[in-house]
């Protein structure tokens, strides 16, 4: 009976996505709980909303990250895939795009002259791991 919990942990760990070493190191500096308004929204606003935000004329790939329902919906350009899957970074395209070294797939794209730090990547990944909870803007709470 003792073997069952250990086996479950091994299987869960084996299913976890590979994180770059700098992101793993940055995780040690993060708070236990990631807050959308305090930690996540500023990153998305500074690095993502220009192409994946409220301006429909500038929106890329049909992805809108400022609205939870749309951020977690099936991607129109990649059926069967999702930008954010609650608690599952390995199934979240956002995870794969922010840790990618491939200039064709990484986000933000190199030509944007924007980049995420290891700490910012770690925040976004932990937020997804913790269920990717969105909150209304602080001014409306």
């Amino acid at each position: 009976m003792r073997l069952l919990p250990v086996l479950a942990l091994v299987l869960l760990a084996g299913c976890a996505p590979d994180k770059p070493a700098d992101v793993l190191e940055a995780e040690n500096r993060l708070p236990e709980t990631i807050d959308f308004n305090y930690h996540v929204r500023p990153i998305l606003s500074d690095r993502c909303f220009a192409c994946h935000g409220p301006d429909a004329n500038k929106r890329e790939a049909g992805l809108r990250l400022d609205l939870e329902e749309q951020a977690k919906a099936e991607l129109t350009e990649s059926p069967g895939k999702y930008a954010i899957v609650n608690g599952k970074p390995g199934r979240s395209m956002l995870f794969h795009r922010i840790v990618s070294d491939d200039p064709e797939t990484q986000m933000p794209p190199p030509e944007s002259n924007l980049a995420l730090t290891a700490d910012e990547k770690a925040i976004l990944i932990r937020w997804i791991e913790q269920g990717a909870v969105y909150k209304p803007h602080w001014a409306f709470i």
Side-chain angles (χ1 to χ4, degrees), residues 53-118:
D55 188 344
N57 294 320
K58 294 184 179 181
R59 195 168 307 128
E60 298 284 332
L63 174 61
R64 187 167 179 180
L65 292 173
D66 62 314
L67 298 177
E68 180 176 16
E69 185 176 304
Q70 292 183 31
K72 295 178 180 180
E74 184 174 27
L75 296 170
T76 55
E77 293 188 9
S78 299
K81 295 186 179 185
Y82 300 82
I84 299 170
V85 178
N86 297 346
K88 299 182 179 182
R91 293 193 52 218
S92 302
M93 293 307 296
L94 185 133
F95 167 82
H96 294 288
R97 294 296 189 109
I98 67 171
V99 300
S100 176
D101 290 330
D102 180 353
E104 295 295 317
T105 60
Q106 78 181 96
M107 289 291 151
E111 63 271 10
S112 72
N113 294 319
L114 299 171
L116 293 168
T117 66

Side-chain angles (χ1 to χ4, degrees), residues 29-40:
R29 297 187 291 272
L30 297 181
E32 185 68 28
T33 303
I34 300 300
D35 179 82
F36 179 76
N37 282 328
Y38 187 75
H39 300 104
V40 177

